[in-house]
Each structure stands twice: as C-alpha cells, then as structure tokens.
Amino acid sequence: MLPSSTVVQMPSPPSGCASAAASSTSHSSGLVLGVCCDQLMPQHSHPHPVHRNVPVPATSEKERHKERQLLATKWPPPCFIVLASLLEILVFVCVGQVPPEDSVLIYRPDLRLQLWRFLSYALLHASWLHLGFNVLTQLLFGLPLELVHGSARTAVIYMAGVLAGSLGTSVVDSEVYLVGASGGVYALLAAQVASVLLNLEQMRHGILQLMAVIVFVFCDLGYALYSRELEELQARPTVSYIAHMTGALAGLSVGLLLLRQLDGGLRPRLLRWLALGVWSAFSVFGIAFNLINTVTAQLLAEQEGEVLKQHLLHDLGMG
C-alpha cells in the first residue's frame, strides 16, 4: 500500500503513435484515478485487516465464564478473616497478655461440659508476639483463600481447625490449658495446599503458593526448636503442637471437601469420601473421648466424695 504522500507519474508516449498515446492516456487516467481514490480511503493504524462475523472460540467463552465466576466471588468482599482478626485483637487488649485461668474463654480440661470453650479459646493469646504471629499469618494466607472461595467456606475451615485443635489437645495433652488461634491458622495453611491440589492447572502461581506454605511451616518448626531451648532458661508458656497438627489435618480434609474447583468440574468421588471419612472419624473419636472422660471423672469424684464422707463420719463417731 502506497503512503498518502506518494505521487505517481506516468511516462509520456512517443510522438509518432497518436492512437497509442490516446489509449495510453486513457489507461493512465484510469491508473491515476485509482491511486487517488485509494488515497482518499481512510487509513487504519493496524496492519492486519479486520475480519467480521468470525465465530468466537469456545476456549475464550470458558475463560470469560471463569472470570465472571471469580468476579462474583469477590462480592460481598472478604470479611470473615478481617473480623476474626479484629475480634482477637480487641479481646487481647481487654484481657491482657496473661489470660487468667478462671477466664470463661480459656479451654480447661476440667470444664469440658462448657462446650463453648472448645472454640472460644482461640480469642485469647499469651503475648503480643503470639497474637501478632497468628493475626499476620491468617491475614496473609486467609484473605487470598477467602477472595477465591468465599467467606462461608473459609469460616467453616477456620472453625473446624479451632475445634480440631481443642479436641486433639484434650485427647493427647489432657491436662493442658489452651489459648490461641493456631489451630485455625494451620487449618488455613492446609486449606491453601488443598486449593492448589484441586486447581493446579487453573492457577498461575500455584507452585509458588505451595512453596510459600512449606517455607512458612519450616520457619515455624525452627521457631519451635528455638522456643524449646528458651523454655529451659526461663518460664514461658509451652506451644501446643498437637493443636497445630490437628488443625492442619482438619484444614486439609475439610478443604478437599468444600473448596471450589475453578474449572467447574466435580472432584473424584473417592477424594470426597476420603476427606469426609478422615474428618468424621477424627471428630467422632475426639467427642467420644471427651464424653467418656467427663463421665468417668464425675463418677470417680462422686465415689471419692462418698469415701471421704464415710471417713469423716467414722472419725466423728457417727459411722
């Protein structure tokens, strides 16, 4: 295509050929007119011609559908992780760094019948470092999870991790008083792993997210070893690693069961049943263990009280 500033000049015919000159002149006029009309047509900035009525590929339709689904999940905006973090900070400011043992929120093995303690202990923290670590971690890993999968699923996973932390501690460390949201935090970490496993092909940086979780867990293990050394030098509250492990187990199993698949497909039936079976077996065992221990402790207390009563009456000469 000639640029707009190009001028086309035709060579003049020889003088001895009048008819040929006339014919050449007519052809020349036609050529010049064609060039001028071409110069008058609007010029397009892009070099490729525009094709109309081209059918849209099916892949682009799927991508638009995925984008619409992702935009739909962003409204309402993520609120659970932010509200949970603000509530934990507020409770810490009101209660103080060292929560009292008679607090109505702390988990105590001798008060297992007060069922709210299996969840409310997550609102208490032992220090500013403990609080800041948990809040920062759940914001860093929980907000992206909530943006993609919604607040309801994230809340269920978080609370399942908190419940699993208290149930696991009550089974393994039955004399421990428990505070902190580490069970819920590790549930969010494990749910990130579940999300990557379910949507690896649809995620741009799935491997990086998985590596970030692994690096964080190794850093936490390093801090655990460091804190054990400090515990021998000064009195510090111990870390409940059972709550971390059981919270992660709950996050992985519930995450595989509830989290969305971005391609719109159905997860394998075996995977769903396996996740449901792991979470159900753990929960049933933990609840049954606590019920049996509570009833047994009450019976022993009643028997011990009756024995003490008989000894007292005998000493008073009234037996």
Side-chain angles (χ1 to χ4, degrees):
M1 181 179 294
L2 298 175
S4 57
S5 59
T6 304
V7 178
V8 179
Q9 295 181 351
M10 298 299 298
S12 57
S15 56
C17 302
S19 60
S23 175
S24 175
T25 303
S26 62
H27 287 295
S28 173
S29 301
L31 179 60
V32 173
L33 179 60
V35 173
C36 294
C37 291
D38 181 70
Q39 300 302 320
L40 292 176
M41 293 180 64
Q43 301 293 326
H44 297 284
S45 58
H46 54 81
H48 302 288
V50 177
H51 299 281
R52 297 181 180 180
N53 299 326
V54 177
V56 180
T59 55
S60 62
E61 288 292 341
K62 291 183 179 179
E63 292 177 357
R64 292 178 182 178
H65 181 65
K66 293 178 184 177
E67 293 178 357
R68 287 195 296 266
Q69 285 184 338
L70 290 177
L71 291 176
T73 56
K74 294 181 181 180
W75 185 261
C79 57
F80 173 76
I81 295 297
V82 175
L83 292 179
S85 302
L86 292 177
L87 185 58
E88 291 167 7
I89 295 173
L90 179 62
V91 171
F92 182 83
V93 171
C94 296
V95 174
Q97 293 192 12
V98 182
E101 294 183 356
D102 58 349
S103 173
V104 296
L105 300 178
I106 194 173
Y107 169 77
R108 293 178 51 169
D110 56 338
L111 298 175
R112 294 173 178 172
L113 292 180
Q114 298 179 3
L115 300 180
W116 68 85
R117 294 178 181 268
F118 284 89
L119 297 175
S120 62
Y121 77 93
L123 299 175
L124 300 175
H125 289 82
S127 64
W128 277 108
L129 179 62
H130 189 202
L131 173 69
F133 183 80
N134 283 344
V135 168
L136 181 62
T137 306
Q138 67 191 21
L139 287 175
L140 183 62
F141 291 95
L143 281 179
L145 192 72
E146 191 174 359
L147 276 171
V148 176
H149 299 280
S151 299
R153 292 182 176 89
T154 306
V156 171
I157 292 172
Y158 187 84
M159 300 309 295
V162 172
L163 179 61
S166 57
L167 288 176
T169 302
S170 66
V171 172
V172 180
D173 296 332
S174 57
E175 298 180 357
V176 171
Y177 288 22
L178 190 61
V179 296
S182 298
V185 170
Y186 267 74
L188 295 177
L189 291 172
Q192 284 282 359
V193 176
S195 179
V196 172
L197 293 178
L198 291 174
N199 305 292
L200 182 60
E201 296 181 356
Q202 286 74 34
M203 300 178 71
R204 294 182 179 178
H205 308 291
I207 300 298
L208 293 179
Q209 294 183 15
L210 187 60
M211 293 299 298
V213 173
I214 294 175
V215 169
F216 177 85
V217 171
F218 273 102
C219 291
D220 187 59
L221 290 177
Y223 174 76
L225 297 176
Y226 174 73
S227 62
R228 281 188 176 182
E229 296 295 331
L230 290 182
E231 286 172 7
E232 299 178 358
L233 302 177
Q234 56 184 348
R236 297 186 59 184
T238 58
V239 180
S240 177
Y241 301 105
I242 299 300
H244 292 187
M245 295 172 58
T246 52
L249 177 64
L252 182 62
S253 57
V254 178
L256 290 174
L257 186 63
L258 294 183
L259 291 181
R260 299 171 55 248
Q261 287 189 258
L262 301 182
D263 59 356
L266 296 177
R267 68 203 69 195
R269 182 176 299 179
L270 178 61
L271 181 63
R272 287 184 293 171
W273 282 109
L274 180 61
L276 181 61
V278 169
W279 170 242
S280 301
F282 172 79
S283 301
V284 170
F285 177 78
I287 294 173
F289 181 89
N290 280 275
L291 288 176
I292 293 173
N293 274 8
T294 302
V295 173
T296 303
Q298 287 182 346
L299 292 176
L300 291 177
E302 292 176 359
Q303 292 178 1
E304 184 179 359
E306 187 65 26
V307 171
L308 291 176
K309 180 180 178 181
Q310 293 296 332
H311 282 291
L312 180 61
L313 293 177
H314 182 270
D315 292 340
L316 294 175
M318 300 174 59

